[in-house]
Amino acid sequence: MPSLTSAPLRTARRTTAALTLVLALGACSTAGTAAPVTGATGAAPDPAYPVTLDNCGTEVTLDAPPERVVTIKSSTTELVAALGAADRLVGTAFSDGPAPDDLAAALADVPELSEQVPGQEALLEAAPDLVLGGWESNFSADGAGERDALAALGIATYVAPSACKEAGYQPDPLTFDLVMAQIREAGALLGVPDAAEQVVAEQQAVLDAVEPVDGVTALWWSSGEDSPYVGAGIGAPQMILGAAGLDNVFADVHDTWTSVGWEQVVDADPDVLVLVDAAWNTAADKKAALAANPATAQLEAVREERYVVVPFAATEAGVRNADTVADVVDQVTALGLDG
C-alpha cells in the first residue's frame, strides 16, 4: 500500500480558475548517472511520485501509484475506467445509473459496496488505499468517514474538484477547461498521465465538432416536483447548455443548481425543457407532471413536447459531458428549434 498523507489546509491557496497540482519529482530530478534508489523489493521507485495536490482545501500526497481504489458516485467511477484503471477498483458506490456502453465491460465485475454512500465498515472491508468521491459530502462521520480520520488509517481521499464548495475552491463558473484539468489531475494521481491526455484530446475533439444551436432558451430540470430543482448559472448544467448554444433561463442565479417555483418557470416560458432522467425521478415522470400541472400544461414547450432527455450520470462534471453537449444539440436540432 503506498504511503500517503492528508491534512486540512489552513488557507485557500488556489483560485477557482485553476486546479493546482504539484508533482514532487524526488529522485528523477537529480542529474547524473547514479543508479536509482530501490526499496525493499528491489524495484525502482516510480519517478512520477510523490504526487502532492491541494484538493478542496485538503493536502493529499501519494508516494506511489494507488493499487486499491474505491469510487463514490458514477462520475468518479467512470473517470477511473476512462483512464484505463478499472482493474484497480476494489469497489464502487452510489451509482447514478448504468455505465456508458464504452465503459460497461471494464466495470462489469467491480463489486458494489453500497447503493448510497458506503458506511465506514463497508469501506474499510474493501481495504482501499485511495477513495475518490464525487461530492465533498461523501466524506462525513455518518458516511464513508471524515477525510482526516481516513488518512490516519492510511487511506487517501480525493474529491472531484468540480464539486468543491469552499470559497476559493468552488469553480465559478465551471468550465470545460476545468473539467479537462480535473481529468489530468486524476491521471497524475493514478499515475496515468498519458491516458489522461488521450481522454482530454478525445473530449476536446467532440466539443470541436459541435455546431451550437442559436436563439433557443432552455430550462434544465434536475429533480423535485413541488419546487423544481433546476440548473443555475455556474455549474455543470450551465456549462453543458452554454456549449450547446442554449440560453439557460436561470443563468442569472449565481449557483450550480437552485430551487424555483413553477410560476417562475411559466414566466420564463422556455423554448425547450431539458429533463434529467434519474431512477428516482425519471424523464417520463417529469413529462407526466408537466402535462398534469395546469400552469405548466399551457407552456408551448409542454404542448408541443419539446423535450431533451439526458441521463443523470451525464449531468455532473466528468467524462460524459462533451458527448452530452453533442447529444443535446442533436436532440434540439431534431425538434426543429435551431435558429
Side-chain angles (χ1 to χ4, degrees):
M1 177 179 293
S3 61
L4 51 93
T5 60
S6 177
L9 296 177
R10 294 293 180 262
T11 59
R13 299 180 309 215
R14 178 178 66 187
T15 67
T16 58
L19 297 175
T20 301
L21 174 63
V22 180
L23 300 182
L25 305 179
C28 72
S29 64
T30 303
T33 58
V37 177
T38 59
T41 63
D46 190 319
Y49 288 84
V51 171
T52 298
L53 55 88
D54 174 358
N55 178 233
C56 296
T58 294
E59 184 176 280
V60 180
T61 298
L62 270 69
D63 293 328
E67 299 171 355
R68 298 180 61 83
V69 179
V70 167
T71 53
I72 306 173
K73 297 289 289 180
S74 290
S75 56
T76 57
T77 302
E78 293 170 8
L79 175 56
V80 171
L83 293 172
D87 59 336
R88 293 190 237 171
L89 288 172
V90 295
T92 65
F94 210 164
S95 171
D96 295 313
D101 291 343
D102 60 330
L103 301 178
L107 295 169
D109 297 326
V110 179
E112 182 181 54
L113 304 183
S114 173
E115 292 184 357
Q116 300 295 321
V117 177
Q120 295 178 50
E121 182 177 351
L123 181 70
L124 295 178
E125 284 181 358
D129 47 33
L130 174 65
V131 183
L132 304 178
W135 296 342
E136 285 187 283
S137 60
N138 295 158
F139 299 109
S140 62
D142 57 355
E146 295 180 336
R147 299 186 72 178
D148 56 352
L150 292 173
L153 296 174
I155 301 172
T157 59
Y158 176 82
V159 175
S162 57
C164 295
K165 286 294 188 181
E166 282 191 47
Y169 289 92
Q170 182 179 30
D172 186 8
L174 181 67
T175 66
F176 271 103
D177 284 345
L178 289 174
V179 173
M180 303 304 185
Q182 180 170 295
I183 293 169
R184 289 188 174 101
E185 190 169 82
L189 195 69
L190 294 168
V192 289
D194 291 343
E197 289 300 330
Q198 180 177 344
V199 172
V200 167
E202 292 169 352
Q203 300 272 302
Q204 191 60 55
V206 171
L207 290 173
D208 290 344
V210 168
E211 295 184 9
V213 299
D214 183 52
V216 179
T217 61
L219 167 76
W220 179 290
W221 181 14
S222 290
S223 60
E225 292 185 7
D226 294 337
S227 297
Y229 196 54
V230 303
I234 66 170
Q238 174 59 34
M239 179 184 71
I240 293 168
L241 292 175
L246 295 169
D247 296 322
N248 180 3
V249 294
F250 291 109
D252 61 340
V253 178
H254 192 257
D255 207 341
T256 49
W257 286 265
T258 188
S259 292
V260 299
W262 284 117
E263 65 279 3
Q264 293 172 271
V265 173
V266 172
D267 289 344
D269 193 18
D271 296 321
V272 63
L273 302 170
V274 179
L275 308 180
V276 176
D277 191 26
W280 56 92
N281 189 195
T282 66
D285 289 341
K286 289 182 170 73
K287 292 176 184 179
L290 288 165
N293 183 325
T296 56
Q298 301 307 310
L299 288 171
E300 186 175 350
V302 174
R303 296 199 311 270
E304 298 190 5
E305 298 187 347
R306 296 176 184 165
Y307 300 128
V308 168
V309 176
V310 294
F312 184 91
T315 67
E316 296 182 333
V319 296
R320 289 209 211 186
N321 295 157
D323 285 334
T324 301
V325 171
D327 184 45
V328 167
V329 170
D330 288 345
Q331 291 188 59
V332 172
T333 303
L335 292 171
L337 293 176
D338 187 3

